[in-house]
Amino acid sequence: MKRIFNIFALCLFSAWCLLLCGCSVQKEIGNQAVITGLYLDYSLPAQQFEIAAEIADFKGYEKNSSLSTKWVSAGGQTLSEALFRLQKNVPQTIYFSHAKILILGPGFQAVSPQHTISFFLNYNGINSDILLCTSNANKEELTSIKKQNFSTEIYDALQLGNRKSSQLYRLFNSQKNFWLLPEISILENEACKISTSVFINGIYAKTLQNRQELIYLLSTQGIQNQHYSTENFDLFIKEGKSAVQDDQNRLLITCRLMAEISDTHGIIHAEQLTREAENQLKQKLTAQAVSFYNELKEDGKLKLFFNETYSQEPEFQFDITIMKSQFQKEESDS
Amino acid sequence: MKFSSNLQENFDNFQNIFRDNCMIVFRYLENAYDTQLKAVAVFADGLVGASLVNDYVVKPFVANAQIYKQEDKLMFAKNSVLQSNDIVIVTDYDDCIKRLFSGDVIFFLEGYDSPLAVNARFPATRSISEPENEKALKGPREGFCELILFNTALLMRRLKNDHLKLESFTLGNRTRTPVVMAYIEGVCHPDLVKQIRTQLKKINTDSITDTNQIAELLKAKPYSPFKTTGSTERPDVVANKLLEGRIAIIADGTPQVITVPFLFNEYFQSTDDYSINFYFGTVSRLLRYLSFLISLFLPALYVACVKFQHEILPEKLLYSISASRVSVPLSATMELVVFLLFFEIIREASTRTPSVIGQTLSIAGALILGQTAVEANFISVPAIIIVAISGLCSNVLPQMKGAMILLRFGILWLSSLIGIYGVILGGAAVIIHLADITVSQTSYLNEMLPSTKGAWMDIYIRGPYQFLKQKKDYLSKEN
């Protein structure tokens, strides 16, 4: 009797396992359309989502050859509908988990992408560490790119630039009121230029160019471990913080930086290195800060970036400490 | 059957019994000084030495000038005429037959109803050589042979100790195989000795030709794929097991000696571990544990990753597996099952064939089956790698080979149904089963979770010799 009960219990447990964990969800790896990257855009006039997926084609893929890919696209009134139609356009089951980047199209400059991020974060199968970026290219421009495995190339470039902060789950869990997303511009020769777009409170604010990102971060939250080049020096900024002093007479933004010299261009006497690097860094940063401020002022976006109670023109002051680096020690020894 | 005091009657009876056995020789003898004093020597040709029969029995009896004068001729023949070192009076018929087939000469004397059994054994066996399946890089090269006398001698040479006990049994109603139970008194737990002794006495079977039969009859869980008795051909291993407090069972006709109890961790121990530096011994032992896990779970994990949990795979590996599986018609499970079976067939074939052909066979099998199957898109390259690694790892633990093959397929089946949960379920089932086995009142996993300080020194690692405990606490109470 006990044996019969044991066999019955085992059968019941096995059936339970089958139901819960399921052979119904089995999917052979060879029958999957592996997506390497996603593009998403929203057309405000048509109120329609446009989705494009870069799908890996494994035929002919060998160890040393690069992966060939193709773009497949679909549209829909909702994101679910767009994804459903995308699946209809692909013979195999779409597999999202290895998708590396999610590119938001220019439509999201007009509409907040917050709901989209939330949707993908909860969407079964999408990795929450997918990198989010923006692009000014529309779907047609992107899908007509002849370059194979475009998403992986972009992903690798973003990884090199240490853009992990734009991962989906990091953005969603971020306590900050702004997001800095990498922005990809597709050039005529199909190469890419990566800049940074700023979303404040979920709304697109501005695309930052040429180290404006550094000035912005420095004046808002501080920076760490950044490379910066001046006329004669490659510098490594270890840490930078800012403080705002708002008197009746003047608005002073003081930035304190600790940096060290990585390399020099041109011949400078060893004793003058530190002073010269300090001067060059101070001059360049001040010029960039003033230029950035003026640009924001011209665009009428000052309030988005700086506290609106600031009524006066800010004065930027940089206190720079150049620490003795390994490079300088070697120079002085020689 | 009872013996008669009439020589002719005994002679006729034996001739009748062995009428169809051409190897039983009857030698009719008369004393030269009294031709009325007659005797018959019966022996099995091949089991006795011809010259020994002549020197021990024929010559001394025929040429003896005193025996016919004696009142008790049988006792005189036993003590003063026949020359062997071992002569006994046999009263029991079964004992007589057993001795005849052990190489004794049965000597019937006119007027006596009890024959003498004269030891004239000439053991025909192979010489002591290194066991083929348990070769050690270092350490002793001796191995057991098929003759129980040699085997017990090899053991006694290693344990020159008056506490070494060798209890004799005869198992098999028809084969009457001599079996010896060896243990060290004071080291081995008396209850264990009593239990095994009782179990051996209870064995009621027609034939015992191999110790594996005894092992199966002693098995705690008859349907378990895991062994509960150890098996070795090495006297040094048996000596060490006896010193740990275990019991060895030696049977005539087989070089395999079994040791009881056998616990799970013993699968991972090897003689070589103790012949080399403890660092290398530890590495070897850890590799064996790793091989066990790989052999058992790798095919199942592969199937789980390929069929269910693709997310586990790193990007490049996913691409590589996907690319290799694009043109393969079989499902991941089927290709693994088919090729694991092929692997086992190749292994079985190369084991059964002579060594030179066996090597060629395994190379041909690997090349032809592997390479051409991949070229023909019959199997993917990753599956070949998985089968090869898994098969290779199972060879690291030859004693567990059967269990691993069986369990590997079981876990693979579970994995193909429910993915990684199946692997976990299979692993849990194996652990539960192992924990459920009790060997001689000791848990099968007893040593895997050592409770005493320092006991782990010889389980997961091979600790320095000074820290190793020779005697196992759970096997011994007395010192």
Side-chain angles (χ1 to χ4, degrees), chain B residues 358-371:
Chain B
Q359 270 184 356
T360 320
L361 191 76
S362 55
I363 292 166
L367 283 177
I368 295 168
L369 278 176
Q371 201 171 337

Side-chain angles (χ1 to χ4, degrees), chain B residues 187-189 192 244-246 261 442 472-477:
Chain B
V187 175
C188 185
H189 198 295
L192 181 64
E244 285 176 0
R246 294 176 212 277
T442 307
K472 304 290 176 186
D473 293 334
Y474 59 90
L475 292 173
S476 163
K477 273 183 183 169

Side-chain angles (χ1 to χ4, degrees), chain A residues 26-29 98 100, chain B residues 306-307 310 313 315 325:
Chain A
Q26 68 161 299
K27 40 195 193 290
E28 279 277 346
I29 206 166
H98 276 71
K100 295 167 177 172
Chain B
V306 168
K307 283 184 81 173
H310 314 315
L313 296 170
E315 176 204 343
R325 284 201 47 76

Side-chain angles (χ1 to χ4, degrees), chain B residues 78-345:
Chain B
K78 180 178 178 274
N79 296 332
S80 310
V81 179
L82 305 178
Q83 302 288 312
S84 176
N85 63 339
D86 180 20
I87 303 173
V88 289
I89 298 171
V90 186
T91 51
D92 181 47
Y93 172 76
D94 285 343
D95 189 30
C96 176
I97 299 299
K98 188 183 142 193
R99 285 176 178 275
L100 178 69
F101 282 99
S102 301
D104 282 7
V105 176
I106 307 299
F107 183 79
F108 290 99
L109 191 63
E110 177 68 63
Y112 292 91
D113 61 357
S114 302
L116 294 174
V118 183
N119 185 345
R121 294 172 192 179
F122 182 77
T125 186
R126 65 185 170 96
S127 59
I128 293 168
S129 56
E130 189 176 12
E132 278 294 314
N133 297 328
E134 289 179 79
K135 283 191 172 169
L137 298 174
K138 287 181 178 179
R141 308 270 177 200
E142 279 180 338
F144 287 123
C145 62
E146 283 73 16
L147 200 71
I148 195 166
L149 284 174
F150 281 15
N151 295 347
T152 46
L154 286 171
L155 208 54
M156 284 192 287
R157 210 170 67 188
R158 279 173 176 76
L159 298 164
K160 300 174 185 71
N161 190 325
D162 60 337
H163 290 289
L164 174 68
K165 303 293 172 190
L166 299 165
E167 286 186 24
S168 171
F169 298 84
T170 303
L171 300 181
N173 297 335
R174 289 195 185 279
T175 55
R176 293 195 179 104
T177 312
V179 172
V180 165
M181 178 176 93
Y183 62 93
I184 298 175
E185 195 179 41
V187 175
C188 185
H189 198 295
D191 287 350
L192 181 64
V193 176
K194 200 174 161 187
Q195 186 198 340
I196 301 298
R197 189 187 291 136
T198 314
Q199 280 182 305
L200 285 175
K201 279 181 181 169
K202 273 187 185 169
I203 290 175
N204 182 19
T205 177
D206 274 356
S207 74
I208 293 289
T209 52
D210 186 18
T211 41
N212 186 48
Q213 290 164 309
I214 303 172
E216 281 202 19
L217 292 166
L218 294 181
K219 201 169 179 182
K221 290 249 177 199
Y223 301 110
S224 169
F226 293 100
K227 299 196 313 177
T228 49
T229 52
S231 172
T232 180
E233 288 185 44
R234 300 184 64 91
D236 52 319
V237 173
V238 174
N240 279 319
K241 298 278 180 198
L242 293 184
L243 288 166
E244 285 176 0
R246 294 176 212 277
I247 292 174
I249 297 169
I250 311 161
D252 195 37
T254 172
Q256 295 285 341
V257 172
I258 56 173
T259 54
V260 278
F262 178 85
L263 302 188
F264 186 64
N265 62 297
E266 288 179 67
Y267 277 124
F268 304 96
Q269 291 170 342
S270 162
T271 326
D272 279 342
D273 294 352
Y274 305 95
S275 309
I276 53 176
N277 181 292
F278 64 88
Y279 289 120
F280 306 130
T282 300
V283 171
S284 302
R285 191 165 293 178
L286 290 174
L287 283 177
R288 269 178 233 126
Y289 280 104
L290 186 67
S291 301
F292 166 68
L293 294 175
I294 289 174
S295 176
L296 214 57
F297 293 111
L298 188 66
L301 278 173
Y302 173 75
V303 167
C305 290
V306 168
K307 283 184 81 173
F308 293 91
Q309 282 84 17
H310 314 315
E311 296 83 1
I312 298 173
L313 296 170
E315 176 204 343
K316 297 277 180 195
L317 191 58
L318 177 99
Y319 291 172
S320 176
I321 293 174
S322 296
S324 65
R325 284 201 47 76
V326 163
S327 319
V328 177
L330 295 174
S331 71
T333 315
M334 278 310 291
E335 65 172 347
L336 274 193
V337 168
V338 167
F339 269 81
L340 280 170
L341 279 175
F342 274 139
F343 187 88
E344 296 307 329
I345 290 167

